Amino acid sequence: MAFDYKKEYKEFYLPKRKPELIKLPSMNFIAVRGKGDPNEEGGAYKQAIGLLYGIAFTIKMSKKGDHRIEGYFDYVVPPLEGLWWQQGIKGIDYSRKEDFEWISMIRLPEFVTWGDFEWAVASASEKKETDFSSVEFFTYDEGLCVQCMHMGPYDDEPATVEAMDAFASVQGYQPDMDGQRYHHEIYLSDARRCKPENLKTVIRHPVKALKL
């Protein structure tokens, strides 16, 4: 049976619908950076997702080709994730989607090295006749965070974020989105096939101790 990160690491991908603290280890991802409204049809964000999945499945299906990855095991491609921010704003202003800056990403299995990543980019570029040069090997050390499962439309996230901030404050912490740690979302539902009210999204915010 293929290794499923969502099932094996439930603490990372399947939190409860109430805020909780969690310490995240450093993880490697494939990532694409961009700017703009993620809902724009044919825009940079949707193009980035296509590039990410092109590389993700090139790596996953390497088992059927000539490139052998040391330590490879069969696995389910982890869910799409996103880091989000806006210049001059602490947190997120959902009414200004055109000002979003983002890093769209998919987690890599631990056995994938930089060399394997470079092979995947070259292989996908050749086979698909597409420019994958904007995809990068990205390491994110997130550290201590507060997270919560958000159920429903993305535009309803502010209420969940407010509850997360209140919980963090009671625990003695405050948000710590400092230009290297960001508003983080993990998408467990396919928005193209899921009713907005049924969308499941993990929301995660880095935190630090409150100043006394």
Side-chain angles (χ1 to χ4, degrees):
M1 183 178 295
F3 186 92
D4 189 334
Y5 282 85
K6 297 190 302 298
K7 294 179 180 179
E8 298 297 332
Y9 294 99
K10 292 181 180 179
E11 66 273 24
F12 298 161
Y13 300 102
L14 297 172
K16 297 178 181 178
R17 293 181 64 182
K18 59 181 181 179
E20 63 186 19
L21 289 169
I22 186 168
K23 181 73 176 291
L24 282 302
S26 178
M27 302 180 196
N28 292 329
F29 298 83
I30 48 173
V32 177
R33 299 171 188 263
K35 299 179 180 181
D37 187 341
N39 297 321
E40 180 185 354
E41 195 63 38
Y45 180 74
K46 293 187 177 180
Q47 292 178 29
I49 293 174
L51 294 174
L52 287 176
Y53 278 106
I55 299 299
F57 279 98
T58 295
I59 294 171
K60 174 179 168 59
M61 302 310 295
S62 63
K63 62 183 179 180
K64 294 188 175 181
D66 296 330
H67 183 82
R68 293 289 182 247
I69 299 178
E70 184 176 354
Y72 180 96
F73 54 78
D74 195 20
Y75 64 98
V76 177
V77 172
L80 180 70
E81 308 186 31
L83 305 177
W84 300 85
W85 69 96
Q86 292 157 315
Q87 295 295 329
I89 297 176
K90 289 187 177 181
I92 293 292
D93 182 347
Y94 291 82
S95 68
R96 294 171 48 186
K97 294 183 176 67
E98 68 278 4
D99 295 332
F100 274 135
E101 298 188 35
W102 40 263
I103 302 174
S104 188
M105 58 194 196
I106 296 175
R107 182 178 179 177
L108 287 171
E110 293 78 4
F111 56 74
V112 178
T113 67
W114 174 263
D116 297 319
F117 163 75
E118 288 190 313
W119 163 83
V121 170
S123 178
S125 298
E126 180 180 356
K127 290 180 179 179
K128 299 179 182 295
E129 297 183 346
T130 300
D131 182 7
F132 286 90
S133 62
S134 61
V135 183
E136 62 182 270
F137 187 97
F138 177 65
T139 299
Y140 192 43
D141 191 357
E142 201 162 19
L144 183 64
C145 296
V146 60
Q147 68 177 12
C148 187
M149 180 70 78
H150 172 75
M151 293 289 297
Y154 302 128
D155 286 345
D156 290 350
E157 288 181 6
T160 299
V161 169
E162 183 177 347
M164 291 167 57
D165 289 345
F167 170 80
S169 180
V170 169
Q171 299 298 316
Y173 297 97
Q174 62 184 348
D176 185 30
M177 289 174 280
D178 59 359
Q180 295 187 355
R181 303 168 78 207
Y182 307 96
H183 173 91
H184 187 173
E185 299 183 358
I186 304 174
Y187 307 105
L188 303 180
S189 306
D190 186 340
R192 299 169 300 176
R193 298 179 175 87
C194 185
K195 294 181 179 179
E197 61 268 25
N198 294 330
L199 289 170
K200 291 184 178 181
T201 308
V202 180
I203 302 178
R204 188 180 291 159
H205 278 184
V207 294
K208 63 182 179 181
L210 281 167
K211 293 182 179 180
L212 299 178

